Amino acid sequence: MGRMVDGVWRDEWYVPDDEGRFRRPETQFRGTIRADGTGPHPAAAGRYHLYVSRACPWAHRTLITRALRGLTDVISTTCVDPHMGEQGWPFSASDPDPLHPGAAHLHEVYRATQHDYTGRVTVPVLWDREQKTIVNNESREIMRMMDVELEGFANGTASLAPEALRTEIDEILDAIYEPINNGVYRAGFATKQAAYESAVGELFGALDRWEGVLAKQRYLTGDTLTEADVALFTTLLRFDVVY
């Protein structure tokens, strides 16, 4: 896992803080698709492209949302190779980048958007074909855009973020993010014992909490499948086999 500095790729790992704790930097592209057609990224079929890795839980949640909402013919995808090398996420021969011919790695897509970009090169990435730029690389926001802003093109299951439950869904997404979704990284990438023990304690405490909730009801908000369930599932699915 490297990063770019002023548009130049560097093979650099995450730098922990002084206590040995893993620090996840904020994603930087936070544009929004809008159903009302305002802004630079109006809702449209065939306009947006999603870069993902099937190895990544953050990308996996957007793939699940895309599939459940029936948007597979609305948003195209490219899956990078699951093995991350010295140049970060590579494109595979079986699934080359159709929008940047000759591109070998995902960091070239980031550079195409911002030639002097400084930051991590992560998936998922939502790309606007017409504007020729990254719209957003924050998985939670991409999920919501696909569910709400592209509602007019959806032909799958019911909304994963129904308006009546949206406040509760957001609260649960906030509650599971730090101890669970990010917690597995905080534990796995800790460089000091105290940081590790703190992350592990919070992780298993949160798992116990939500196991208690799910012992009483089918889904995190009750009887409705939502984004919160998808976000928890992609981490839990990898828990034994990866983390």
Side-chain angles (χ1 to χ4, degrees):
M1 170 61 78
R3 69 188 187 108
M4 298 183 77
V5 178
D6 295 328
V8 178
W9 176 262
R10 294 185 182 180
D11 185 19
E12 297 178 353
W13 188 244
Y14 290 100
V15 178
D17 66 13
D18 292 340
E19 303 299 321
R21 294 173 296 200
F22 167 71
R23 300 182 300 176
R24 182 181 298 278
E26 291 285 332
T27 49
Q28 297 187 40
F29 296 98
R30 310 297 283 269
T32 303
I33 295 174
R34 296 195 180 279
D36 62 9
T38 62
H41 310 295
R47 175 165 176 160
Y48 299 99
H49 188 78
L50 191 62
Y51 292 94
V52 295
S53 168
R54 293 190 178 94
C56 173
W58 311 103
H60 190 191
R61 55 170 66 177
T62 65
L63 282 173
I64 291 175
T65 302
R66 171 178 172 266
L68 289 178
R69 294 294 276 136
L71 295 170
T72 55
D73 292 331
V74 175
I75 302 175
S76 54
T77 62
T78 294
C79 287
V80 297
D81 191 279
H83 177 72
M84 184 185 295
E86 293 181 356
Q87 291 286 315
W89 293 113
F91 293 111
S92 66
S94 62
D95 198 3
D97 182 1
L99 304 181
H100 305 87
H105 296 89
L106 186 63
H107 63 70
E108 296 171 70
V109 175
Y110 276 70
R111 189 182 296 113
T113 290
Q114 184 178 334
H115 74 278
D116 59 350
Y117 173 71
T118 294
R120 295 289 170 184
V121 175
T122 59
V123 287
V125 173
L126 186 64
W127 179 270
D128 185 333
R129 293 171 180 266
E130 293 193 16
Q131 292 286 343
K132 294 181 172 57
T133 188
I134 293 174
V135 178
N136 196 295
N137 67 336
E138 172 52 54
S139 63
R140 178 171 167 177
E141 294 177 2
I142 294 173
M143 291 172 70
R144 184 62 56 84
M145 279 186 277
M146 288 195 293
D147 190 273
V148 176
E149 303 302 331
L150 291 174
E151 167 72 29
F153 303 95
N155 62 5
T157 61
S159 173
L160 297 171
E163 189 170 1
L165 293 174
R166 210 165 289 167
T167 297
E168 183 179 2
I169 292 168
D170 287 337
E171 290 173 350
I172 294 174
L173 287 169
D174 289 341
I176 65 176
Y177 170 76
E178 193 60 36
I180 300 178
N181 298 139
N182 195 43
V184 292
Y185 296 89
R186 291 170 56 227
F189 297 155
T191 59
K192 293 184 179 181
Q193 187 65 23
Y196 168 78
E197 291 178 357
S198 175
V200 166
E202 291 179 23
L203 171 60
F204 279 91
L207 289 175
D208 287 344
R209 172 191 173 187
W210 293 105
E211 183 175 32
V213 171
L214 292 173
K216 302 174 183 178
Q217 58 194 43
R218 184 69 179 88
Y219 299 110
L220 293 175
T221 61
D223 59 0
T224 302
L225 175 68
T226 71
E227 290 175 349
D229 300 286
V230 175
L232 182 59
F233 170 75
T234 58
T235 297
L236 296 182
L237 182 68
R238 291 165 171 80
F239 197 85
D240 288 340
V241 296
V242 179
Y243 307 130

